[in-house]
Amino acid sequence: MMMAKERIFLSPPHMSGREQFYIDEAFETNWIAPLGPNVDAFEREIAEYTGALGAAALSSGTAAIHIALSLLNIGPGDRVFCSSFTFIASANPVRYVGAEPVFIDSEPQTWNMSPEALERAFEDADREGRLPKAVIVVHLYGQSAKMNEILAVCNRYEVPVIEDAAESLGSTYEGKASGTLGKFGIYSFNGNKIITTSGGGMIVSDDEEALSRARFLATQARDQAPHYQHSVTGYNYRLSNLLAGVGRAQLQVLEERMKARRTIFENYRAAFGELKGIEFMPELPNTRSNRWLTALTIDEEEAAVKISDLLQALAADNIEARPLWKPLHLQPVFEGSRFYPHSETLSVSERLFQSGICLPSGSSLSLDQQQRVIDCIRRSLGKVANPAR
Ligand SMILES: *Cc1c(COP(=O)(O)O)cnc(C)c1O
């Protein structure tokens, strides 16, 4: 009888063992509430690691984007430009505050926001007298966007940048931490991210006053008064002291986790990089990607494989692999939103979505497990052109 093969996940949590120490300490001191010494320490440690002046710990990356938009006083009638090639959480908060998202395509070198498309979007918005109140730039799969070019356009129009660095903690751009180049940067510690608190997020900035306000808004916006008094609408968005303890232990192994994911990427590239029709996500010079997920595109004709067949073969082998993010301008929930393609004739994000997949990339992936993925893909490639193989 065949034994069911062990499941290989895309990006499962990878604990170091040290997390339990912080959890036990929180229990022993009864710091179970949201807030507490782990939260303060985790904020300091993230600020130190990234080089940002400060950080505020929140319940999720999505909450962090929501808070960033609130700090910029964005509301109904306002526009926000946002990368289209990303996970839905990048843009949902734009809707939470009642603003209108305008989606910007990717460019081929980083797969992230196209400065050319951004420029055209700004020119139109300027002509209409409706500039955006913020631009949300995503650094997908760990690769930083072309920040110099993007910041140059945004600075010219004096529009602040929010970096959605949920997938790029540990990555750098010209030596600076991804997430520290704009007005605000956000990180996620969701279960699938490079380090995790099971659920959690962080906002970083050099504007300490804004970060104090972030903490205020995230704890129900309670005014200074002996009784409970509130003058603005707040949220219950703070990270719990227990989870911040998990985050502290995870941060201590972030560099190791990054090394492991980069090695996994290199192993996949060594296995398939020479094959016709397969291209791995590039790494822009002067940037370092944490290679959160190994992402690649497949030319179905050249590689002689149907992507749907390949995904099916992987699934049949109990291996989790996924298509790349479906661009937000194609999502039913954002139907009717404006979209600026990279050029008048080319939508890079649509092409990536049609041709790309990501492979199991968790830092705990063993060599044997990775070999299983590689063997499964090898068996599928070349099937269409040469069925005898
Ligand atoms: C995971 C993720 C988020 C959201 O983070 P949560 O902590 O899950 O709310 C936002 N943007 C991107 C690009 C992500 O991958």
Side-chain angles (χ1 to χ4, degrees):
M1 197 179 80
M2 276 259 294
M3 290 274 285
K5 281 194 190 145
E6 164 208 25
R7 177 106 174 124
I8 297 179
F9 291 99
L10 196 65
S11 179
H14 184 186
M15 294 294 108
S16 71
R18 281 278 291 173
E19 295 79 10
Q20 196 65 46
F21 166 81
Y22 292 99
I23 291 181
D24 289 347
E25 189 183 58
F27 268 82
E28 277 153 25
T29 53
N30 205 32
W31 276 106
I32 308 299
L35 305 186
N38 280 334
V39 173
D40 299 340
F42 191 34
E43 289 180 347
R44 274 197 313 275
E45 287 159 5
I46 284 281
E48 212 166 282
Y49 176 82
T50 59
L53 277 187
L58 301 170
S59 53
S60 70
T62 311
I65 298 171
H66 189 184
I67 290 285
L69 295 172
S70 303
L71 291 170
L72 295 168
N73 289 315
I74 296 171
D78 291 332
R79 268 185 189 166
V80 175
F81 291 176
C82 181
S83 301
S84 185
F85 190 47
T86 181
F87 178 49
I88 191 87
S90 302
N92 269 341
V94 176
R95 284 272 175 83
Y96 300 167
V97 299
E100 174 205 344
V102 172
F103 294 111
I104 313 293
D105 198 15
S106 300
E107 47 79 21
Q109 274 181 295
T110 66
W111 297 9
N112 286 307
M113 186 179 277
S114 156
E116 288 86 350
L118 180 68
E119 178 88 55
R120 276 186 284 117
F122 263 111
E123 281 164 9
D124 280 359
D126 195 25
R127 219 172 296 123
E128 291 160 18
R130 274 192 68 203
L131 285 174
K133 291 282 279 287
V135 174
I136 301 174
V137 180
V138 183
H139 307 303
L140 224 53
Y141 305 121
Q143 172 59 55
S144 295
K146 291 188 169 175
M147 288 305 286
N148 284 342
E149 291 85 342
I150 290 167
L151 285 169
V153 180
C154 294
N155 290 342
R156 189 151 23 95
Y157 290 96
E158 297 180 348
V159 172
V161 168
I162 300 168
E163 287 181 80
D164 178 348
E167 300 178 4
S168 65
L169 180 62
S171 302
T172 57
Y173 181 90
E174 296 185 348
K176 288 190 197 134
S178 183
T180 62
L181 290 96
K183 171 75 184 165
F184 297 112
I186 75 94
Y187 301 112
S188 164
F189 310 112
N190 188 28
N192 61 351
K193 297 303 195 300
I194 191 157
I195 62 169
T196 180
T197 60
S198 89
M202 191 76 77
I203 178 167
V204 296
S205 179
D206 286 344
D207 184 342
E208 304 257 27
E209 214 171 296
L211 290 173
S212 307
R213 187 157 175 87
R215 295 186 192 96
F216 164 79
L217 288 173
T219 42
Q220 309 286 19
R222 189 175 161 197
D223 296 339
Q224 296 265 352
H227 49 276
Y228 279 82
Q229 178 163 304
H230 308 268
S231 311
V232 296
T233 305
Y235 313 95
N236 182 6
Y237 272 176
R238 280 292 252 169
L239 186 64
S240 96
N241 191 59
L242 278 182
L243 301 186
V246 176
R248 293 183 70 190
Q250 286 270 289
L251 185 57
Q252 291 164 13
V253 292
L254 173 58
E255 289 292 321
E256 274 172 56
R257 299 295 185 256
M258 195 156 35
K259 251 191 227 148
R261 290 194 191 242
R262 287 183 62 90
T263 302
I264 288 164
F265 177 91
E266 289 308 332
N267 292 346
Y268 282 130
R269 188 152 66 179
F272 311 123
E274 302 297 307
L275 296 183
K276 263 177 58 177
I278 296 204
E279 296 215 35
F280 284 80
M281 184 178 195
E283 190 173 40
L284 192 71
N286 291 319
T287 69
R288 181 184 62 167
S289 170
N290 67 13
R291 293 295 187 192
W292 174 55
L293 294 183
T294 290
L296 52 100
T297 58
I298 298 170
D299 181 315
E300 291 190 321
E301 238 164 76
E302 281 193 19
V305 67
K306 284 191 63 144
I307 293 166
S308 52
D309 290 347
L310 179 60
L311 288 172
Q312 226 163 34
L314 288 162
D317 237 359
N318 212 12
I319 295 167
E320 187 183 17
R322 296 266 176 88
L324 302 181
W325 297 124
K326 178 171 180 170
L328 298 187
H329 71 275
L330 300 179
Q331 295 288 354
V333 70
F334 289 124
E335 203 186 324
S337 295
R338 269 211 232 185
F339 169 64
Y340 284 87
H342 179 54
S343 76
E344 304 292 352
T345 52
L346 175 66
S347 167
V348 172
S349 59
E350 287 179 25
R351 187 175 283 184
L352 287 168
F353 172 57
Q354 284 155 10
S355 62
I357 62 168
C358 37
L359 298 178
S361 309
S363 44
S364 55
L365 190 76
S366 71
L367 277 177
D368 284 350
Q369 288 176 319
Q370 187 168 18
Q371 197 56 49
R372 239 182 79 198
V373 180
I374 289 169
D375 290 344
C376 179
I377 295 174
R378 280 228 180 92
R379 283 196 303 273
S380 302
L381 293 178
K383 275 260 171 80
V384 173
N386 183 4
R389 206 185 289 190

